Amino acid sequence: MLQSLIREGAAARALITPKPRRFQLMDNFITYDQAAYDSAGAFLVGELERLDPKIHEPLVSVSWNRDIDLRTDVQMGDDTSSFTVSSFGSSGGAAPAGISWAGKTTTTLPRVTLDIGKKVKPLLPWSEEVAYTVAELASAQQTGRPIDTQMVSGLNLKHQMDIDQMVYVGDASVGGYGLCNSDLVVNTGNVANGAAGTPQFATKTPDEIVGDFNELLVSVWAATGWKAPPNKVGLAPNAFGYLSTVKVSEAGNVSILKYVKENNVFTAQYGTDIDIVPIKWLDKANINGPGGSAATYGRMIAYTQQEDYVRFPMVPLQALAPQYAGIYIKVPYLGKLGQVEVVYPETIGYRDGVD
């Protein structure tokens, strides 16, 4: 009797309590996961959570526009950028290598010779697009986080990073070099070892460091026939940080960097200011470009920043007409990047071993 009542009660509860049911989608639509919501900027925010609405973009440093001038006459239709370099020659008068003296009855005069050489560099297209669905755009507008403008910011950042690489170290895949590793520069070498027997700035005295700067500056000046004294020096970040933070001596009140700026040959003798800047691509881990092997030491570069001597050809980025493909909105962007044009390699010098 008791067992019969228990069975009847269990049956009654089964009729009242719904059983869990499993559902399976029978169509081809996909479900949204966390990554899909994040891409549109939609998050689950708790009642006691204070969400910072500020947009925090990736930490990236680019400095190419500080260290090189642009060649802006190139256009989208150009496939190459080129320039010419003229070489002059002349024989002397009585002495072939001397002054062109002429006598009163001279009938054969020395002549000036001219050779014009053309240098050609490729001008390659750079292109990316931003794409998002109408639903993603609506969701982003509703949350107040504009997905379209953030995608454009990401595209512009990638463009700036690629320019930065091309300006400083180039790209091996297209056979290009940059300002910091040009194969045209022959004024190369290592800084001298200090009294400690090592080349790094951290092991040298301030006077030894000034000597390293002056040796490089004067060598570049001499290579130009004393025409173009360098006005900028780039350093690996570690070396720049050391010079900026370490004092000349315990009794001194200035950094080694300031001491070098005030006591180099051009500032001390001619009152010409030298701009000393850190360049991340001069670091030993970056000097051979992305994917390249690390060097033993960082590098120091001295050069004259002037468009007539060295420049970078570039066609600015342009947004094309939006394209609609189903529920997607696509906006292509197109520009062109050249390779650093070292018109006068004599105006650049490299020294390794600074850090």
Side-chain angles (χ1 to χ4, degrees), residues 279-331:
I279 300 176
K280 70 178 183 181
W281 295 101
L282 291 174
D283 183 78
K284 59 186 177 183
N286 300 326
I287 191 62
N288 292 321
S293 59
T296 304
Y297 297 111
R299 177 168 293 176
M300 174 168 60
I301 173 177
Y303 67 104
T304 302
Q305 184 179 346
Q306 187 172 319
E307 185 180 353
D308 291 342
Y309 298 157
V310 60
R311 67 275 184 105
F312 181 70
M314 181 182 74
V315 178
L317 203 59
Q318 302 175 13
L320 306 182
Q323 301 175 4
Y324 299 90
I327 63 173
Y328 269 91
I329 303 174
K330 301 179 180 180
V331 183

Side-chain angles (χ1 to χ4, degrees), residues 85-164:
V85 177
S86 299
S87 299
F88 300 143
S90 175
S91 60
I99 298 176
S100 299
W101 300 119
K104 293 182 179 180
T105 59
T106 299
T107 57
T108 302
L109 301 178
R111 297 175 181 175
V112 172
T113 60
L114 170 64
D115 178 73
I116 302 177
K118 186 173 71 169
K119 311 294 183 181
V120 182
K121 296 285 186 179
L123 195 62
L124 302 174
W126 187 100
S127 182
E128 279 204 9
E129 70 176 10
V130 296
Y132 41 83
T133 67
V134 176
E136 288 175 334
L137 183 60
S139 298
Q141 291 174 341
Q142 186 170 331
T143 59
R145 299 179 187 90
I147 187 176
D148 50 345
T149 57
Q150 286 194 61
M151 282 188 174
V152 172
S153 296
L155 183 144
N156 284 326
L157 182 58
K158 179 63 166 62
H159 186 239
Q160 290 294 307
M161 292 170 63
D162 289 350
I163 297 174
D164 205 60

Side-chain angles (χ1 to χ4, degrees), residues 229-284:
N231 58 16
K232 177 165 282 191
V233 175
L235 287 174
N238 288 338
F240 182 86
Y242 176 79
L243 298 185
S244 302
T245 56
V246 177
K247 294 181 180 180
V248 174
S249 66
E250 292 297 331
N253 57 358
V254 298
S255 66
I256 297 179
L257 181 63
K258 185 175 181 181
Y259 181 77
V260 170
K261 285 185 175 182
E262 294 176 350
N263 292 277
N264 67 78
V265 61
F266 296 128
T267 301
Q269 299 297 324
Y270 303 103
T272 303
D273 291 332
I274 300 295
D275 191 14
I276 304 176
V277 297
I279 300 176
K280 70 178 183 181
W281 295 101
L282 291 174
D283 183 78
K284 59 186 177 183

